[in-house]
């Protein structure tokens, strides 16, 4: 059967067809849909791990125990998983093990851009790079065969365009992979120094074998055109190259990219006068080719940018100095359309008040709440990586206390981020005693990445009920003595809780508990939160003085009618959270009906 | 020849469903099809775009600036924003709808009154369609995306594809007739 599929869907399909039985992931654009799709196959046990390190370790465990497994994550997730990544390569698999890394050239939804092919090289994993959805499926299936025959974990490097583009895929059948026998084998699985030294030597031998495989891999192939201009490309860049250089050029399409095929590249280059190396981000292939001492002219990162996407327009412009004719219009007429908190977002009330306090440092984190960094809230002073807000806040508070500046730090992160790596940071704050105010924005879901369950929601990746981990109990167990659970939509409660806790010289935690407005509410949610988004608010025209104060809540359900000079609430969008009602000093906003 | 269609709008306007139906139809009709979507924070009111390319053999899923045969904008400002994707002589369809952004709501910026004028100044082939109004007349404003899909079907000469069958596979029976009618209306709107 033929079907249009995204790369993510095709990866999941490939894993299914390859007989995978265990998959673990932590959400992150553009990788999230892989596990979401895997969860649709009943033959595969799937789990959202609290973070990527745990996800990879869970997949490693399943592979050691004899079951084919997969871990998937976004590029920065591999940083979190880097510890097991390196040593796991020493050990080799039992059943096949594949790690999907989804890189983000162009940073559509990420805090940085990094080329995770460097990880395959540094940690000595086999690596593949698909160019379209069909290759995603085919490569994943081949990856499991390779993993088992060469006793190596395999990394598949995707990029946003491969993950989120659809193309036509021919589907196959699932082939069960019978579980492999597990035997005690410390010489393979216990990386003590004495054992690791042996495995280290073996790892180099394996890389030699994989080098030989790379030369004959069906995923590495030369396509000869008519002239002496060649292109070496991996991933989506192969298609970008075809778009620009057409059928006349010759191509060396590299799909198995660690280790790279030395002889194949030498042979290709020897037939060309000029070779363009098309790859996004780092000169990973280029540096390898240059070290081979080929005689043709190499065009790489001296011409193409090492950042952003290498889309056809970029290649066309840099390689040929050409561009399509475009309409030159008045750009000053454009208005920005940045994302904003949804109507009824539980982060709104908290950040509306927090942003009013100009004398504090707000140590931020990554989630929907990072939108508070922008207007109208401007309520975030640092954002680095997941879980960092509590620990960076702690360090900053220690420094402020030492210098006697008197500045206070409030650190904020979401529920999923708390479970991810925020727990360790809070332990540090308690253990090393700083007096930061730590806010856990418990909106009962992982919002930013599209509403995945997490250890605090009471449901697993398949939507089945499971043990719910209570954040409040956890925080208490860590040793925090001042814990407040508040409703973030109640502005007064937000304010006085902040006042109270900022006066302490001990660590404290505020848990803001109200569900994300876009969450699919569970029965437990309905029981806990009464009248969940069940009402609408309206502006009483006769009372509204047109001061626009309420608009500073940045709610998309509100606007200003420039003719009547009154605020307006759009009934189709308002969910009655009452934040604007509390801001209005003229009591002009009331419940509808 | 590979054809390129760019659909742009604001999160929640249904561009994704429209492009799903479009690409499925193109595949069933025997074309090679690729589609690329950027929908980073679409649920939170950001801009969204779907790039659709089809032909005998499609390489890149991404449309280059100045290379779209057709741009269909579900919102006026998004039409202006994507103007530089339209190729010389390409077709532009604009839904006559204005969705203020956060910056407009909080009073940082004003939504310019002359967006359509600016577009017309530069493009000959522009068709302004009141898709939301038409869909409302049919009983559901949400079907505006199908009206706009109809404009693509007509403008790109894709009437021979069995759209009804594809709609059946992708849309709840309750909304099937509404969506079929919306497509017809859209086709009619650009035929005039
Ligand atoms: C290491 C790492 N993994 C994953 C991500 C992707 N990511 C960004 S925010 C986020 C979830 C945030 O959820 P939560 O903390 O519950 O906040 P919410 O979005 O619900 O407000 C994820 C998974 C990332 N940026 N870094
Ligand atoms: S998805 Fe949820 S948490 Fe994110 S902005 Fe919307 S309401 Fe807020
Ligand atoms: S009550 Fe006010 S702030 Fe809340 S959703 Fe409605 S308009 Fe927005």
């Amino acid at each position: 059967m033929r079907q249009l599929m995204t790369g993510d869907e095709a990866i999941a399909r490939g894993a299914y067809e390859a007989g995978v039985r265990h998959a673990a992931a932590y959400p992150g654009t553009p990788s999230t849909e892989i596990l979401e799709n895997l969860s649709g196959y009943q033959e595969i046990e799937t789990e959202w791990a609290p973070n990527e390190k745990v996800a990879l370790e869970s997949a490693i465990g399943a592979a050691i125990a004899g079951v084919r497994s997969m871990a998937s994550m976004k590029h920065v997730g591999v940083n979190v998983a880097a510890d097991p990544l390196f040593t796991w390569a020493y050990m080799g698999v039992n059943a096949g093990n594949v790690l999907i890394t989804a890189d983000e050239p162009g940073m559509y939804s990420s805090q940085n851009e990094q080329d995770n092919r460097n990880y395959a090289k540094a940690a000595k994993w086999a690596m593949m790079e698909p160019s379209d959805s069909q290759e995603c499926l085919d490569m994943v299936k081949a990856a499991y065969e390779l993993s088992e025959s060469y006793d190596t974990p395999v990394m598949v490097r995707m990029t946003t365009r491969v993950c989120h583009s659809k193309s036509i895929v021919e589907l196959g059948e699932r082939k069960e992979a019978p579980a492999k026998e597990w035997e005690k084998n410390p010489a393979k699985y216990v990386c003590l120094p004495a054992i690791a030294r042996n495995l280290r030597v073996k790892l180099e031998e394996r890389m030699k074998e994989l080098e030989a495989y790379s030369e004959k891999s069906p995923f590495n192939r030369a396509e000869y055109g008519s002239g002496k201009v060649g292109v070496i490309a991996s991933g989506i860049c192969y298609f970008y190259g075809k778009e620009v250089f057409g059928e006349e050029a010759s191509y060396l399409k590299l799909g198995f990219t660690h280790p790279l095929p030395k002889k194949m590249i030498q042979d290709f280059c020897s037939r060309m006068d000029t070779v363009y190396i098309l790859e996004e981000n780092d000169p990973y292939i280029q540096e390898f080719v240059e070290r081979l001492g080929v005689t043709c002219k190499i065009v790489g990162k001296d011409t193409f940018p090492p950042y952003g996407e290498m889309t056809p327009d970029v290649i066309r412009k840099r390689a040929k100095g050409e561009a399509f004719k475009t309409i030159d219009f008045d750009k000053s007429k454009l208005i920005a359309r940045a994302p904003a908190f949804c109507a009824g977002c539980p982060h709104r009330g908290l950040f509306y008040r927090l942003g009013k306090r100009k004398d504090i440092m707000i140590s931020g984190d990554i989630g929907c709440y990072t939108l508070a960094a922008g207007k109208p809230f401007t309520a975030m002073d640092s954002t680095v990586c997941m879980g960092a807000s509590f620990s960076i806040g702690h360090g900053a508070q220690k420094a402020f206390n030492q210098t006697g500046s008197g500045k206070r730090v409030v650190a904020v992160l979401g529920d999923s981020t708390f479970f991810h790596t925020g727990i360790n940071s809070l332990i540090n704050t308690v253990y090393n005693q700083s007096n930061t105010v730590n806010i856990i924005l418990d909106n009962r879901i992982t919002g930013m990445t599209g509403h995945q369950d997490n250890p605090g929601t009471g449901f697993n990746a398949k939507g089945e009920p499971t043990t719910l981990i209570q954040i409040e109990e956890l925080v208490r167990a860590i040793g925090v003595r001042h814990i407040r659970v508040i409703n973030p939509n109640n502005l007064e409660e937000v304010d006085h809780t902040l006042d109270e806790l900022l006066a302490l010289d001990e660590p404290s935690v505020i848990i803001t508990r109200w569900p994300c407005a876009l969450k699919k509410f569970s029965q437990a949610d309905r029981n806990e939160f009464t009248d969940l988004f069940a009402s609408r608010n309206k502006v009483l025209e006769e009372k509204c003085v047109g001061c626009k104060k309420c608009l500073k809540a940045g709610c998309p359900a509100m606007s200003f009618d420039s003719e009547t000079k009154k605020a307006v609430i759009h009934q189709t969008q308002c969910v009655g959270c009452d934040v604007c009602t509390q801001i209005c000093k003229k009591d002009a906003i009331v419940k509808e009906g | 020849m590979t054809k390129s269609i760019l659909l742009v709008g604001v999160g929640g306007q249904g561009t994704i469903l429209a492009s799903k139906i479009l690409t499925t139809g193109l595949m069933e009709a025997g074309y090679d099809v690729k589609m690329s979507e950027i929908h980073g924070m679409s649920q939170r009111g950001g801009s969204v775009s779907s790039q659709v390319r089809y032909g005998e053999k499609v390489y890149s899923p991404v449309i280059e600036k100045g290379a779209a045969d057709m741009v269909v904008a579900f919102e006026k400002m998004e039409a202006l924003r994507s103007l530089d994707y339209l190729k010389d002589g390409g077709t532009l369809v604009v839904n006559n709808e204005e969705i203020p952004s956060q910056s407009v709501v909080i009073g940082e910026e004003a939504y310019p009154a002359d967006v359509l004028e600016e577009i017309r100044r530069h493009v000959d082939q522009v068709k302004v369609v009141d898709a939301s109004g038409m869909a409302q007349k049919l009983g559901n404003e949400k079907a505006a995306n199908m009206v706009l899909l109809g404009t693509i079907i007509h403008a790109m000469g894709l009437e021979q594809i069995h759209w009804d069958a594809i709609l059946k596979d992708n849309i709840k029976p309750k909304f099937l007739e509404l969506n079929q009618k919306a497509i017809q209306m859209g086709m009619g709107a650009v035929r005039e």
Side-chain angles (χ1 to χ4, degrees):
Chain A
M1 196 176 72
R2 275 155 41 98
Q3 206 174 314
L4 268 165
M5 277 188 162
T6 62
D8 280 352
E9 289 165 343
I11 289 282
R13 179 71 197 189
Y16 165 78
E17 290 181 13
V20 167
R21 288 211 246 163
H22 184 91
Y26 181 72
T29 313
S31 71
T32 312
E33 297 90 330
I34 297 173
L35 194 97
E36 287 179 334
N37 278 283
L38 285 167
S39 293
Y41 298 109
Q42 73 183 50
E43 295 88 342
I44 307 177
E45 181 155 68
T46 55
E47 49 193 39
W48 288 126
N51 67 39
E52 293 86 351
K53 175 178 186 285
V54 175
L56 178 57
E57 288 160 349
S58 171
I60 290 173
I64 291 177
V67 159
R68 285 190 173 184
S69 67
M70 174 175 276
S72 51
M73 54 199 65
K74 74 183 281 155
H75 62 314
V76 284
V78 182
N79 302 338
V80 179
D83 204 357
L85 184 87
F86 278 76
T87 309
W88 173 227
Y90 279 39
M91 295 153 64
V93 300
N94 182 20
N97 175 251
V98 172
L99 166 68
I100 312 287
T101 168
D103 295 6
E104 263 233 311
M107 295 174 269
Y108 289 97
S109 340
S110 300
Q111 67 267 40
N112 79 353
E113 198 177 60
Q114 64 183 45
D115 190 333
N116 278 2
R117 294 178 302 174
N118 297 309
Y119 269 121
K121 190 175 160 194
K124 300 179 190 291
W125 281 50
M127 172 170 62
M128 297 168 119
E129 287 182 74
S131 302
D132 63 10
S133 300
Q134 183 69 57
E135 274 193 355
C136 287
L137 188 148
D138 295 342
M139 280 188 185
V140 162
K141 284 168 80 171
Y144 283 98
E145 297 302 325
L146 273 172
S147 176
E148 287 172 8
S149 45
Y150 288 84
D151 199 21
T152 178
V154 181
M155 184 181 294
V156 176
R157 188 238 192 180
M158 315 263 286
T159 55
T160 307
R161 290 291 178 182
V162 178
C163 291
H164 283 174
S165 293
K166 281 190 178 179
S167 56
I168 299 170
V169 178
E170 187 71 51
L171 304 188
E173 297 293 323
R174 176 172 169 98
K175 210 171 127 229
E176 291 300 337
K180 300 213 182 252
E181 210 50 48
W182 176 75
E183 283 162 13
K184 280 187 182 291
N185 189 357
K188 182 168 162 61
Y189 297 122
V190 183
C191 265
L192 290 167
I195 294 171
R197 278 192 287 270
N198 285 334
L199 295 176
R200 178 74 187 82
V201 176
K202 273 198 181 161
L203 180 58
E204 290 306 318
E205 287 162 10
R206 184 205 298 159
M207 289 319 289
K208 284 266 170 303
E209 289 165 21
L210 285 168
E211 250 174 68
Y213 167 79
S214 187
E215 301 286 354
K216 55 176 208 259
S217 167
F219 298 108
N220 293 336
R221 62 166 197 267
E223 301 165 4
Y224 287 103
S226 46
K228 290 257 179 195
V229 172
V231 171
I232 301 179
S234 68
I236 189 89
C237 288
Y238 164 70
F239 285 117
Y240 291 163
K242 282 242 157 171
E243 196 73 39
V244 177
F245 295 101
E247 297 292 341
E248 310 85 64
S250 302
Y251 294 84
L252 183 61
K253 183 191 180 318
L254 299 178
F256 185 87
T257 51
H258 193 251
L260 283 160
K262 196 160 127 189
K263 288 200 195 74
M264 202 178 218
I265 293 171
Q266 274 167 334
D267 180 50
F268 181 80
C269 288
S270 72
R271 300 170 189 223
M272 299 294 136
D273 289 341
T274 304
V275 166
Y276 291 91
I277 299 182
L278 306 182
E279 54 188 330
E280 281 171 325
N281 291 164
D282 294 345
Y284 168 82
I285 299 174
Q286 184 184 344
E287 284 175 357
F288 182 86
V289 175
E290 281 172 345
R291 270 202 309 279
L292 296 177
V294 295
T295 50
C296 63
K297 183 174 171 232
I298 298 291
V299 184
K301 293 295 171 188
D302 46 344
T303 300
F304 303 116
Y307 44 78
E309 293 189 277
M310 282 264 282
T311 42
D313 54 324
V314 176
I315 300 172
R316 201 182 297 282
K317 183 140 178 258
R318 303 277 186 128
K320 298 180 158 180
E322 293 170 4
F324 291 110
K325 191 169 157 252
T326 55
I327 295 168
D328 190 19
F329 62 97
D330 183 359
K331 304 256 185 336
S332 74
K333 293 204 188 300
L334 288 176
I335 55 163
R337 197 181 294 283
F341 288 145
C342 306
C345 176
H347 301 330
R348 175 169 287 107
L350 179 92
F351 285 105
Y352 178 78
R353 279 302 201 236
L354 202 53
K356 298 265 180 222
R357 296 178 186 244
K358 299 297 176 205
D359 55 335
I360 54 170
M361 173 187 168
I362 304 171
S363 176
D365 219 297
I366 305 187
C368 280
Y369 46 88
T370 314
L371 292 173
K375 284 178 179 161
F377 307 100
T378 49
M380 206 159 280
D381 298 311
S382 67
T383 300
V384 181
C385 62
M386 288 193 69
S389 61
F390 285 3
S391 21
I392 286 178
H394 165 81
Q397 187 68 72
K398 281 273 180 178
F400 288 142
N401 293 354
Q402 205 177 59
T403 58
S405 83
K407 277 255 180 295
R408 296 288 277 117
V409 180
V410 174
V412 291
L413 48 66
D415 50 341
S416 184
T417 304
F418 178 65
F419 287 113
H420 181 274
T421 34
I423 295 175
N424 329 27
S425 302
L426 186 61
I427 289 174
N428 181 55
T429 303
V430 173
Y431 175 50
N432 289 307
Q433 286 291 302
S434 66
N435 53 337
T436 48
V437 176
N438 301 282
I439 305 181
I440 302 170
L441 305 152
D442 186 11
N443 63 353
R444 316 296 306 124
I445 202 79
T446 315
M448 174 86 157
T449 42
H451 308 93
Q452 292 76 30
D453 279 294
N454 68 46
T457 67
F459 295 92
N460 65 17
K462 296 237 186 216
E464 301 151 350
T466 179
T467 302
L468 182 154
I469 298 171
Q470 294 283 2
I471 294 177
E472 192 183 343
E473 285 176 21
L474 200 55
V475 169
R476 185 161 292 119
I478 287 172
V480 178
R481 299 198 308 153
H482 304 274
I483 306 169
R484 302 284 179 276
V485 182
I486 66 167
N487 175 354
N489 298 330
N490 183 332
L491 302 186
E492 219 163 278
E493 197 176 352
V494 167
D495 257 344
H496 83 238
T497 310
L498 280 171
D499 284 341
E500 184 198 349
L501 299 183
L502 279 167
L504 297 174
D505 53 11
E506 272 187 74
S508 59
V509 166
I510 301 175
I511 301 168
T512 66
R513 206 167 153 93
W514 196 266
C516 161
L518 300 189
K519 188 187 173 184
K520 253 172 81 189
F521 305 124
S522 65
Q523 194 50 49
D525 290 330
R526 296 195 185 282
N527 297 347
E528 178 180 348
F529 308 100
T530 40
D531 294 336
L532 205 43
F533 301 121
S535 61
R536 310 262 173 281
N537 291 17
K538 66 176 176 191
V539 177
L540 296 175
E541 277 213 19
E542 62 281 13
K543 285 200 172 176
C544 175
V545 294
C547 70
K548 298 191 183 173
K549 280 211 172 66
C550 57
L551 298 176
K552 298 289 181 222
C555 178
M558 305 194 82
S559 63
F560 193 73
D561 188 329
S562 46
E563 270 160 36
T564 61
K565 301 258 181 291
K566 309 277 176 196
V568 184
I569 291 178
H570 302 279
Q571 294 300 305
T572 50
Q573 291 180 56
C574 175
V575 292
C577 74
D578 287 343
V579 167
C580 57
T581 312
Q582 297 163 78
I583 295 171
C584 178
K585 296 232 168 25
K586 301 284 172 194
D587 296 328
I589 302 178
V590 297
K591 284 269 172 258
E592 172 74 52
Chain B
M1 254 318 265
T2 302
K3 296 275 184 201
S4 301
I5 307 171
L6 178 65
L7 294 87
V8 293
V10 178
Q13 285 195 298
T15 50
I16 289 173
L17 181 63
S19 44
K20 182 179 178 196
I21 291 173
L22 175 63
T23 48
T24 309
L26 291 165
M27 179 184 73
E28 309 259 298
Y31 290 110
D32 187 20
V33 190
K34 286 189 179 170
M35 170 169 84
S36 183
E37 266 169 10
I38 295 293
H39 46 80
M41 294 272 283
S42 59
Q43 283 175 314
R44 295 146 203 88
S47 306
V48 287
S49 71
S50 293
Q51 318 196 356
V52 175
R53 306 194 72 217
Y54 66 99
E56 204 175 311
K57 172 85 193 129
V58 180
Y59 297 129
S60 163
V62 183
I63 303 175
E64 290 176 70
K65 286 198 170 148
D69 295 278
M70 183 173 189
V71 172
V72 184
F74 287 45
E75 199 270 350
K76 285 192 308 188
M77 181 54 64
E78 298 313 307
L80 188 63
R81 201 188 307 285
S82 339
L83 219 51
D84 49 3
Y85 276 89
L86 195 64
K87 83 171 180 205
D88 212 2
T91 306
L92 175 66
V93 169
V94 188
N95 182 18
N96 195 6
E97 171 144 346
E98 193 170 306
I99 302 180
S101 68
Q102 169 95 325
S103 58
V104 172
V105 171
I106 64 173
E108 288 282 324
E109 290 183 286
Y111 198 111
D114 56 346
V115 176
L116 288 179
E117 285 68 35
E118 177 62 19
I119 292 171
R120 285 207 178 92
R121 210 167 289 144
H122 300 288
V123 192
D124 302 330
Q125 294 274 26
V126 50
K127 189 91 199 170
V128 179
V129 175
D130 179 19
S132 313
M134 289 182 193
Q136 217 159 26
K137 257 184 232 148
L138 289 175
N140 192 334
E141 204 183 333
K142 285 240 151 78
N145 61 346
M146 292 299 128
V147 174
L148 292 164
L149 175 61
T151 68
I152 300 176
I153 293 171
H154 182 77
M156 300 303 290
L158 300 170
E159 289 94 337
Q160 78 286 1
I161 296 174
H162 303 295
W163 296 107
D164 281 352
I166 290 147
L167 280 184
K168 240 179 235 143
D169 292 340
N170 287 285
I171 288 185
K172 287 195 193 115
K174 200 169 88 177
F175 297 115
L176 191 60
E177 203 189 321
L178 166 79
N179 282 285
Q180 284 167 338
K181 279 192 188 150
I183 288 184
Q184 290 298 330
M185 258 192 166
M187 289 167 66
V190 281
R191 206 179 287 127
E192 286 154 20

